[in-house]
Amino acid sequence: MANLLSDCITANGKTVENYVFPPERRPPISGKADVPIIDLQEENASKHIMKAIQEFGLFQVINHGVSKDLIDEALKVFKEVFELPPEEKSKINMEEDLNQFCRIYSSSYNFNTEKFHYWRDVLKHHCSPLEECIKFWPQNPENYKEIVGAYVTELKDLGARILECISEGIGLEKGYFASELSADNILTVNHYPPCSNPSLTLGLTKHSDPNLITILQAVPLHVPGLELFKDGQWLSVDTVPDAFVIFVGNQLEVVSNGGMKAAVHRVSNATEARTSAAFFINPSYECMVEPAKELVQAEINPPLFKAFKYRDFFKVYTGHDGERHAILEDFGFMIKP
C-alpha cells in the first residue's frame, strides 16, 4: 500500500526527483484562453455550445440547475477526505484494480511503472449503478455519501441536458446519447497538494479525455491549474464562480466523425493546494462506439473511425504511460484515407 503524496511530502519542501518532468514535457504557457461562458437557460444555448466546441473543444456553463449549496457541500466534504489522517484514508481502498467501486491513489493508474509521477492524489468513485456503488464510498465524513450521492445525481442530469444540446447541434435525433453511450459515470476528485517548485511538476500531462464528455469543477478559483493546448501553444483557463467546465472527449469525437475535436489539456501545480472534481460520462464498457450513421456519407463524408468496443479503447488509454492526446490515431482506431 503506497502512501499518498499529500501524506509524504517532506517537511523541507523539496520536490522528489521522480515527480520532476523533463522540460520538453512541460513547455510554458503563452497566454489565456477566453473560454466561452454559456447560460444554459438561454434559448440559443445549443448554438452557443456548438460554436464553443468548434473553437475550443470545451466551454463553461452557468445557470445549470445545480444548487450552489450542494456544490459548496460537496467541495467541503471532498476537502475533508484529503485532510483525514493517513490511517483513516487507508480505510479507503488502495488496491490496483480499475474496476473497484471506490479507490484512492497517487499520480495515475500506472504509478508502479510510470517514469514520472503526477503531483496529485486521486479519489475515484464509480457511480453506475449509484445505489450499488455508493455502498463502497468513504464512511468518513459521516454525511459524505448523502452529499456526494446528491451531487452526482445532479451532474448526471446536467450531462444529459448538455448532450441533448449537442445532439440537436449536430443534427442527431432527440435522445441519441440517452443510451449505452452515456450509461457509465465516474467521479474523480483530484487533490493537487502545494508544490514548492510548481514549474518542475505537472498535475496531469498533455491529454484528451477518453470518454464522451467531462463535467469539471475546481477550487479555489484564484489558484491556476487548468491549461488548454490550442493553435500550438498552452493557454491558461480561468473559470467563473459556480460554473462547470465541459470538455469534449474522445468518444464524442468518434460519434461526430471528427466534427468535434476532443479538448487537449493539462493541469499545472502551484504553491497553494487545489482540488477539482471531474464527472466523466462514459459509454458502458461493452458499448460499440462508431460514427453516427446520420453523419456519414460514403463519398462526401466517409467514416474516419472504425467501430470498436469502449472497453478496448479504455484498456489502451489507461495502459499508455505518456501523453494520451493522440491515441485515436496512434493506436489504429482511425481509418486512414
Side-chain angles (χ1 to χ4, degrees):
M1 180 181 70
N3 291 327
L4 297 177
L5 174 65
S6 53
D7 295 334
C8 62
I9 296 175
T10 57
N12 61 21
K14 289 184 179 180
T15 305
V16 184
E17 185 177 353
N18 57 355
Y19 284 86
V20 176
F21 278 78
E24 65 271 16
R25 291 189 64 180
R26 47 182 171 85
I29 59 173
S30 301
K32 289 189 176 182
D34 189 17
V35 175
I37 302 167
I38 297 170
D39 186 338
L40 281 186
Q41 294 185 6
E42 284 190 0
E43 185 177 348
N44 294 323
S46 180
K47 180 180 178 181
H48 296 318
I49 285 173
M50 296 309 300
K51 182 179 179 182
I53 288 176
Q54 292 300 323
E55 186 173 359
F56 294 95
L58 76 164
F59 53 94
Q60 301 183 68
V61 291
I62 58 173
N63 289 327
H64 39 64
V66 184
S67 78
K68 184 181 186 310
D69 287 345
L70 181 57
I71 291 171
D72 291 343
E73 288 175 344
L75 294 173
K76 179 175 180 290
V77 293
F78 294 151
K79 184 172 182 287
E80 289 175 354
V81 167
F82 286 103
E83 290 176 345
L84 289 171
E87 59 271 19
E88 281 296 317
K89 280 185 281 194
S90 70
K91 295 177 182 178
I92 305 170
N93 180 62
M94 290 186 175
E95 298 300 320
E96 297 177 16
D97 183 350
L98 298 183
N99 296 317
Q100 290 288 345
F101 289 110
C102 189
R103 182 182 170 214
I104 193 166
Y105 55 95
S106 278
S107 188
S108 81
Y109 307 108
N110 307 314
F111 186 90
N112 291 328
T113 58
E114 65 193 9
K115 188 173 181 180
F116 305 105
H117 299 319
Y118 304 135
W119 193 268
R120 68 164 187 168
D121 289 333
V122 184
L123 176 59
K124 177 182 176 183
H125 316 64
H126 280 266
C127 305
S128 305
L130 182 59
E131 60 274 12
E132 179 64 23
C133 297
I134 200 171
K135 300 174 186 176
F136 300 90
W137 292 2
Q139 304 284 342
N140 191 7
E142 290 184 358
N143 56 351
Y144 188 90
K145 294 179 182 179
E146 177 185 355
I147 291 172
V148 179
Y151 181 72
V152 161
T153 299
E154 291 294 316
L155 293 188
K156 184 175 180 179
D157 290 343
L158 172 59
R161 283 186 283 132
I162 290 170
L163 287 171
E164 277 296 283
C165 289
I166 291 173
S167 62
E168 176 187 342
I170 59 177
L172 296 175
E173 63 182 348
K174 184 178 177 63
Y176 183 89
F177 292 105
S179 62
E180 288 299 301
L181 282 169
S182 63
D184 188 47
N185 305 140
I186 292 174
L187 175 68
T188 297
V189 183
N190 301 295
H191 177 65
Y192 304 97
C195 182
S196 60
N197 298 294
S199 64
L200 302 180
T201 67
L202 285 171
L204 276 172
T205 191
K206 184 179 183 181
H207 70 287
S208 53
D209 290 344
N211 53 312
L212 200 62
I213 62 170
T214 304
I215 302 174
L216 177 77
Q217 189 163 47
V219 290
L221 295 180
H222 69 271
V223 178
L226 178 61
E227 296 171 1
L228 175 69
F229 190 69
K230 185 178 185 296
D231 300 328
Q233 59 184 343
W234 285 105
L235 306 171
S236 64
V237 177
D238 291 337
T239 55
V240 297
D242 303 318
F244 290 100
V245 182
I246 314 299
F247 295 81
V248 169
N250 293 138
Q251 307 314 306
L252 191 53
E253 182 172 342
V254 172
V255 172
S256 67
N257 200 35
M260 290 182 280
K261 302 296 184 183
V264 177
H265 56 289
R266 71 180 182 186
V267 179
S268 63
N269 299 110
T271 55
E272 187 174 340
R274 179 174 173 271
T275 300
S276 70
F279 185 69
F280 297 94
I281 297 179
N282 314 299
S284 66
Y285 276 163
E286 299 303 323
C287 179
M288 293 297 297
V289 183
E290 61 185 330
K293 292 180 174 56
E294 296 89 335
L295 304 180
V296 173
Q297 294 174 291
E299 296 182 0
I300 301 175
N301 189 33
L304 297 178
F305 303 91
K306 57 187 177 182
F308 56 86
K309 278 189 178 182
Y310 182 64
R311 175 189 293 276
D312 296 333
F313 176 84
F314 193 69
K315 182 179 179 180
V316 174
Y317 185 93
T318 55
H320 184 62
D321 179 19
E323 298 180 343
R324 299 183 173 115
H325 60 286
I327 282 178
L328 276 176
E329 180 177 357
D330 292 349
F331 288 81
F333 288 107
M334 180 175 286
I335 299 175
K336 304 296 184 183

